[in-house]
Protein backbone atom coordinates (compact mmCIF):
# COMPACT_ATOMS: atom_id res chain seq x y z
CA UNK A 1 0.00 0.00 0.00
CA UNK A 2 1.19 3.52 -0.77
CA UNK A 3 0.79 6.62 1.35
CA UNK A 4 1.35 10.35 0.82
CA UNK A 5 2.86 12.36 3.68
CA UNK A 6 2.04 16.07 3.81
CA UNK A 7 4.69 17.89 5.81
CA UNK A 8 6.59 21.13 6.47
CA UNK A 9 10.11 21.95 7.55
CA UNK A 10 12.50 24.74 8.40
CA UNK A 11 15.49 24.04 6.18
CA UNK A 12 18.01 26.11 8.14
CA UNK A 13 19.81 23.13 9.68
CA UNK A 14 19.68 20.81 6.67
CA UNK A 15 21.69 20.26 3.52
CA UNK A 16 18.45 20.20 1.55
CA UNK A 17 15.68 17.64 1.15
CA UNK A 18 17.68 14.83 -0.44
CA UNK A 19 19.85 12.37 1.48
CA UNK A 20 23.47 13.55 1.48
CA UNK A 21 26.62 11.50 2.15
CA UNK A 22 28.20 14.16 4.37
CA UNK A 23 25.32 16.17 5.83
CA UNK A 24 21.92 15.86 7.44
CA UNK A 25 18.82 16.08 5.25
CA UNK A 26 15.07 16.28 5.72
CA UNK A 27 14.55 13.06 3.76
CA UNK A 28 16.96 11.20 6.06
CA UNK A 29 15.16 12.44 9.17
CA UNK A 30 11.78 11.39 7.78
CA UNK A 31 13.01 7.93 6.76
CA UNK A 32 14.55 7.42 10.19
CA UNK A 33 11.27 8.33 11.94
CA UNK A 34 9.20 6.13 9.61
CA UNK A 35 11.56 3.19 9.93
CA UNK A 36 11.51 3.50 13.71
CA UNK A 37 7.73 3.47 13.92
CA UNK A 38 7.14 0.79 11.25
CA UNK A 39 10.09 -1.29 12.50
CA UNK A 40 11.41 -1.82 8.99
CA UNK A 41 13.63 0.16 6.64
CA UNK A 42 11.35 2.54 4.75
CA UNK A 43 12.27 4.66 1.74
CA UNK A 44 10.47 7.90 0.93
CA UNK A 45 10.24 9.80 -2.37
CA UNK A 46 9.65 13.55 -2.31
CA UNK A 47 7.74 15.79 -4.71
CA UNK A 48 10.97 17.68 -5.37
CA UNK A 49 14.44 18.44 -4.05
CA UNK A 50 14.84 21.67 -2.12
CA UNK A 51 18.39 22.98 -1.79
CA UNK A 52 20.36 23.58 1.40
CA UNK A 53 18.67 26.12 3.66
CA UNK A 54 15.43 26.21 1.64
CA UNK A 55 12.19 25.75 3.58
CA UNK A 56 8.86 24.06 2.85
CA UNK A 57 5.48 25.10 4.16
CA UNK A 58 4.19 22.09 2.24
CA UNK A 59 6.22 19.17 0.93
CA UNK A 60 4.67 15.88 -0.16
CA UNK A 61 6.44 12.50 -0.07
CA UNK A 62 5.29 8.91 -0.58
CA UNK A 63 6.25 5.59 0.99
CA UNK A 64 5.07 1.99 0.76
CA UNK A 65 3.98 -0.36 3.53
CA UNK A 66 2.45 -3.83 3.28
CA UNK A 67 -0.30 -3.22 5.85
CA UNK A 68 -3.19 -0.81 6.30
CA UNK A 69 -2.11 2.00 8.63
CA UNK A 70 -4.04 4.29 10.92
CA UNK A 71 -3.09 7.59 9.25
CA UNK A 72 -4.09 9.74 12.22
CA UNK A 73 -2.01 7.65 14.60
CA UNK A 74 0.95 7.64 12.20
CA UNK A 75 0.81 11.44 11.89
CA UNK A 76 0.92 11.80 15.66
CA UNK A 77 3.75 9.29 16.11
CA UNK A 78 5.88 10.83 13.37
CA UNK A 79 5.56 14.27 14.94
CA UNK A 80 6.77 12.82 18.23
CA UNK A 81 9.77 11.17 16.56
CA UNK A 82 10.77 14.01 14.23
CA UNK A 83 12.86 17.01 15.37
CA UNK A 84 11.06 20.29 16.16
CA UNK A 85 11.88 21.83 12.76
CA UNK A 86 10.01 19.12 10.81
CA UNK A 87 6.25 18.65 11.08
CA UNK A 88 3.80 16.21 9.49
CA UNK A 89 0.34 17.60 8.71
CA UNK A 90 -1.34 14.41 7.56
CA UNK A 91 -0.86 10.99 5.96
CA UNK A 92 -3.20 9.84 3.18
CA UNK A 93 -3.72 6.47 1.50
CA UNK A 94 -3.30 6.70 -2.28
CA UNK A 95 -3.44 4.35 -5.26
CA UNK A 96 -0.49 1.90 -5.41
CA UNK A 97 0.97 3.59 -8.50
CA UNK A 98 0.59 7.19 -7.28
CA UNK A 99 3.90 9.06 -7.31
CA UNK A 100 4.69 12.14 -5.21
CA UNK A 101 7.03 13.55 -7.85
CA UNK A 102 5.74 12.43 -11.23
CA UNK A 103 2.01 12.86 -10.52
CA UNK A 104 2.34 16.43 -9.20
CA UNK A 105 0.53 18.82 -11.55
CA UNK A 106 2.16 21.95 -10.13
CA UNK A 107 4.49 23.28 -7.44
CA UNK A 108 4.37 26.76 -5.94
CA UNK A 109 7.32 28.60 -4.45
CA UNK A 110 7.57 31.93 -2.66
CA UNK A 111 10.63 34.12 -2.23
CA UNK A 112 10.63 36.80 0.50
CA UNK A 113 12.58 40.06 0.49
CA UNK A 114 12.83 42.77 3.13
CA UNK A 115 13.71 46.43 2.56
CA UNK A 116 14.87 46.99 6.12
CA UNK A 117 16.91 45.24 8.78
CA UNK A 118 14.67 42.83 10.67
CA UNK A 119 16.19 40.85 13.54
CA UNK A 120 13.16 38.54 13.70
CA UNK A 121 12.76 37.80 9.99
CA UNK A 122 16.40 37.67 8.99
CA UNK A 123 16.39 33.87 8.66
CA UNK A 124 13.42 33.85 6.29
CA UNK A 125 13.79 36.94 4.07
CA UNK A 126 16.60 38.37 1.95
CA UNK A 127 17.61 41.86 3.04
CA UNK A 128 17.83 44.35 0.16
CA UNK A 129 19.98 47.46 0.41
CA UNK A 130 18.67 49.26 -2.68
CA UNK A 131 15.30 50.45 -3.98
CA UNK A 132 13.61 48.24 -6.56
CA UNK A 133 10.96 48.98 -9.18
CA UNK A 134 8.56 46.11 -8.45
CA UNK A 135 6.16 47.22 -11.19
CA UNK A 136 8.87 46.72 -13.82
CA UNK A 137 9.85 43.45 -12.17
CA UNK A 138 6.27 42.24 -12.56
CA UNK A 139 6.27 43.35 -16.19
CA UNK A 140 9.39 41.26 -16.74
CA UNK A 141 7.92 38.33 -14.79
CA UNK A 142 4.93 38.22 -17.14
CA UNK A 143 7.26 37.50 -20.07
CA UNK A 144 8.02 34.12 -18.45
CA UNK A 145 4.62 32.90 -19.68
CA UNK A 146 5.83 33.25 -23.30
CA UNK A 147 8.55 30.61 -22.93
CA UNK A 148 9.00 26.98 -21.96
CA UNK A 149 12.79 26.46 -22.17
CA UNK A 150 14.43 27.89 -19.05
CA UNK A 151 18.00 26.68 -19.53
CA UNK A 152 19.23 30.18 -18.60
CA UNK A 153 17.87 29.71 -15.08
CA UNK A 154 19.03 26.15 -14.54
CA UNK A 155 22.01 24.94 -12.54
CA UNK A 156 24.68 23.63 -14.91
CA UNK A 157 25.47 19.94 -15.44
CA UNK A 158 22.27 18.48 -13.99
CA UNK A 159 20.90 15.07 -14.97
CA UNK A 160 17.49 16.21 -16.28
CA UNK A 161 16.44 15.27 -19.81
CA UNK A 162 14.69 18.55 -20.61
CA UNK A 163 14.77 22.14 -19.37
CA UNK A 164 11.18 22.79 -20.43
CA UNK A 165 8.70 23.99 -17.81
CA UNK A 166 5.24 25.54 -18.00
CA UNK A 167 4.99 28.57 -15.72
CA UNK A 168 1.41 29.29 -14.64
CA UNK A 169 1.91 32.20 -12.24
CA UNK A 170 4.73 34.65 -11.48
CA UNK A 171 4.11 37.83 -9.51
CA UNK A 172 5.57 40.14 -6.85
CA UNK A 173 3.10 41.23 -4.17
CA UNK A 174 3.51 43.58 -1.25
CA UNK A 175 3.13 42.16 2.27
CA UNK A 176 3.86 45.37 4.17
CA UNK A 177 5.67 48.68 3.81
CA UNK A 178 9.01 46.89 3.83
CA UNK A 179 8.23 43.31 2.72
CA UNK A 180 7.60 41.84 -0.72
CA UNK A 181 7.08 38.25 -1.83
CA UNK A 182 7.55 36.66 -5.25
CA UNK A 183 5.16 33.77 -5.94
CA UNK A 184 5.79 31.43 -8.86
CA UNK A 185 3.88 28.29 -9.90
CA UNK A 186 4.88 25.80 -12.60
CA UNK A 187 4.37 22.17 -13.56
CA UNK A 188 8.03 21.54 -12.70
CA UNK A 189 11.15 23.46 -11.70
CA UNK A 190 14.80 23.08 -12.63
CA UNK A 191 17.62 23.03 -10.08
CA UNK A 192 18.21 26.57 -8.78
CA UNK A 193 15.54 27.94 -11.15
CA UNK A 194 13.53 30.12 -8.76
CA UNK A 195 16.61 31.69 -7.16
CA UNK A 196 18.08 32.47 -10.59
CA UNK A 197 14.82 34.02 -11.81
CA UNK A 198 14.57 36.19 -8.69
CA UNK A 199 18.19 37.28 -9.06
CA UNK A 200 17.60 38.30 -12.67
CA UNK A 201 14.35 40.11 -11.85
CA UNK A 202 16.23 42.09 -9.20
CA UNK A 203 18.56 43.27 -11.98
CA UNK A 204 15.47 44.56 -13.78
CA UNK A 205 14.23 46.23 -10.61
CA UNK A 206 17.57 48.01 -10.14
CA UNK A 207 17.48 49.34 -13.71
CA UNK A 208 20.47 47.25 -14.80
CA UNK A 209 18.41 45.11 -17.17
CA UNK A 210 15.55 46.10 -19.47
CA UNK A 211 12.38 44.10 -20.11
CA UNK A 212 13.71 43.24 -23.56
CA UNK A 213 17.02 42.34 -21.98
CA UNK A 214 15.21 39.93 -19.65
CA UNK A 215 13.65 38.29 -22.72
CA UNK A 216 17.07 37.95 -24.33
CA UNK A 217 18.41 36.26 -21.18
CA UNK A 218 15.72 33.57 -21.56
CA UNK A 219 16.22 33.23 -25.31
CA UNK A 220 20.00 32.84 -25.06
CA UNK A 221 19.55 29.61 -23.05
CA UNK A 222 22.79 30.30 -21.24
CA UNK A 223 23.10 30.36 -17.44
CA UNK A 224 25.93 32.89 -17.67
CA UNK A 225 23.52 35.41 -19.22
CA UNK A 226 21.20 35.44 -16.20
CA UNK A 227 21.66 37.17 -12.84
CA UNK A 228 23.20 35.66 -9.74
CA UNK A 229 21.25 33.18 -7.64
CA UNK A 230 19.76 34.79 -4.55
CA UNK A 231 20.28 33.20 -1.09
CA UNK A 232 18.27 30.05 -0.31
CA UNK A 233 17.13 30.99 3.21
CA UNK A 234 14.30 33.21 1.88
CA UNK A 235 12.80 30.54 -0.41
CA UNK A 236 9.78 28.42 0.53
CA UNK A 237 8.02 25.56 -1.24
CA UNK A 238 4.40 26.38 -0.34
CA UNK A 239 2.15 24.06 -2.35
CA UNK A 240 2.11 20.89 -4.45
CA UNK A 241 -0.98 19.89 -6.45
CA UNK A 242 -2.31 16.45 -7.41
CA UNK A 243 -5.32 15.03 -9.26
CA UNK A 244 -7.97 14.08 -6.73
CA UNK A 245 -8.39 10.61 -8.25
CA UNK A 246 -5.00 9.54 -6.86
CA UNK A 247 -6.45 9.24 -3.37
CA UNK A 248 -8.29 6.28 -1.93
Amino acid sequence: MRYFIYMAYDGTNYHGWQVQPNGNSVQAELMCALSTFLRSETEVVGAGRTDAGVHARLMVAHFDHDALLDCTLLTDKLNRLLPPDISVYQVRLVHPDAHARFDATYRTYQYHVSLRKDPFGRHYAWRLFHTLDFERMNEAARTLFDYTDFTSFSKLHTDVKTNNCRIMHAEWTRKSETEWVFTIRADRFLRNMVRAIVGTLVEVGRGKLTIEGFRKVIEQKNRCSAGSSVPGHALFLVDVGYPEDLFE
Side-chain angles (χ1 to χ4, degrees):
M1 294 180 178
R2 180 159 291 182
Y3 296 85
F4 272 16
I5 299 176
Y6 286 75
M7 59 185 296
Y9 52 84
D10 181 328
T12 303
N13 296 321
Y14 299 97
H15 288 71
W17 160 263
Q18 193 171 20
V19 170
Q20 304 289 328
N22 298 310
N24 197 17
S25 69
V26 179
Q27 185 183 29
E29 291 284 356
L30 181 60
M31 288 195 298
C32 179
L34 264 175
S35 300
T36 298
F37 177 73
L38 299 176
R39 299 184 179 182
S40 63
E41 288 296 319
T42 305
E43 298 288 327
V44 298
V45 176
R49 297 185 296 184
T50 55
D51 292 333
V54 175
H55 317 289
R57 294 192 184 279
L58 179 67
M59 168 64 90
V60 182
H62 77 247
F63 72 95
D64 294 324
H65 188 63
D66 57 8
L68 186 63
L69 296 171
D70 181 330
C71 292
T72 302
L73 175 65
L74 177 57
T75 299
D76 178 66
K77 293 298 185 182
L78 287 177
N79 280 323
R80 293 172 184 266
L81 291 166
L82 287 165
D85 51 8
I86 303 176
S87 173
V88 172
Y89 295 140
Q90 65 172 331
V91 179
R92 297 184 66 181
L93 181 65
V94 295
H95 292 321
D97 59 350
H99 199 286
R101 179 182 175 190
F102 298 132
D103 285 328
T105 55
Y106 67 83
R107 289 102 169 149
T108 306
Y109 282 88
Q110 289 185 336
Y111 195 87
H112 297 257
V113 300
S114 176
L115 305 180
R116 72 176 179 188
K117 186 176 182 179
D118 180 358
F120 304 106
R122 70 190 188 280
H123 297 304
Y124 307 107
W126 182 36
R127 167 83 190 283
L128 295 174
F129 294 90
H130 35 256
T131 303
L132 298 181
D133 186 338
F134 286 95
E135 188 173 334
R136 282 185 67 78
M137 290 161 69
N138 270 335
E139 187 179 347
R142 286 191 288 271
T143 68
L144 293 167
F145 305 140
D146 299 334
Y147 300 91
T148 54
D149 189 328
F150 294 103
T151 300
S152 293
F153 300 128
S154 173
K155 187 174 182 178
L156 298 175
H157 311 303
T158 61
D159 56 358
V160 298
K161 295 179 180 179
T162 174
N163 288 332
N164 288 355
C165 309
R166 182 170 63 90
I167 295 179
M168 310 163 189
H169 179 87
E171 183 181 22
W172 289 93
T173 54
R174 193 172 197 164
K175 290 180 61 183
S176 70
E177 285 294 315
T178 59
E179 296 174 282
W180 287 76
V181 60
F182 179 63
T183 303
I184 184 167
R185 180 181 302 117
D187 59 346
R188 63 190 290 264
F189 286 93
L190 308 173
R191 292 284 305 276
N192 211 46
M193 179 174 166
V194 179
R195 293 162 60 193
I197 288 176
V198 172
T200 311
L201 288 175
V202 167
E203 294 295 291
V204 174
R206 296 181 66 186
K208 294 192 170 186
L209 188 67
T210 65
I211 306 298
E212 188 56 36
F214 187 79
R215 283 188 176 275
K216 287 181 179 178
V217 166
I218 302 173
E219 292 169 359
Q220 286 173 0
K221 302 177 184 178
N222 184 346
R223 179 65 186 91
C224 296
S225 301
S228 300
S229 293
V230 291
H233 72 276
L235 181 61
F236 291 77
L237 174 62
V238 298
D239 195 17
V240 186
Y242 296 95
E244 194 57 40
D245 59 8
L246 289 184
F247 302 93
E248 293 287 2

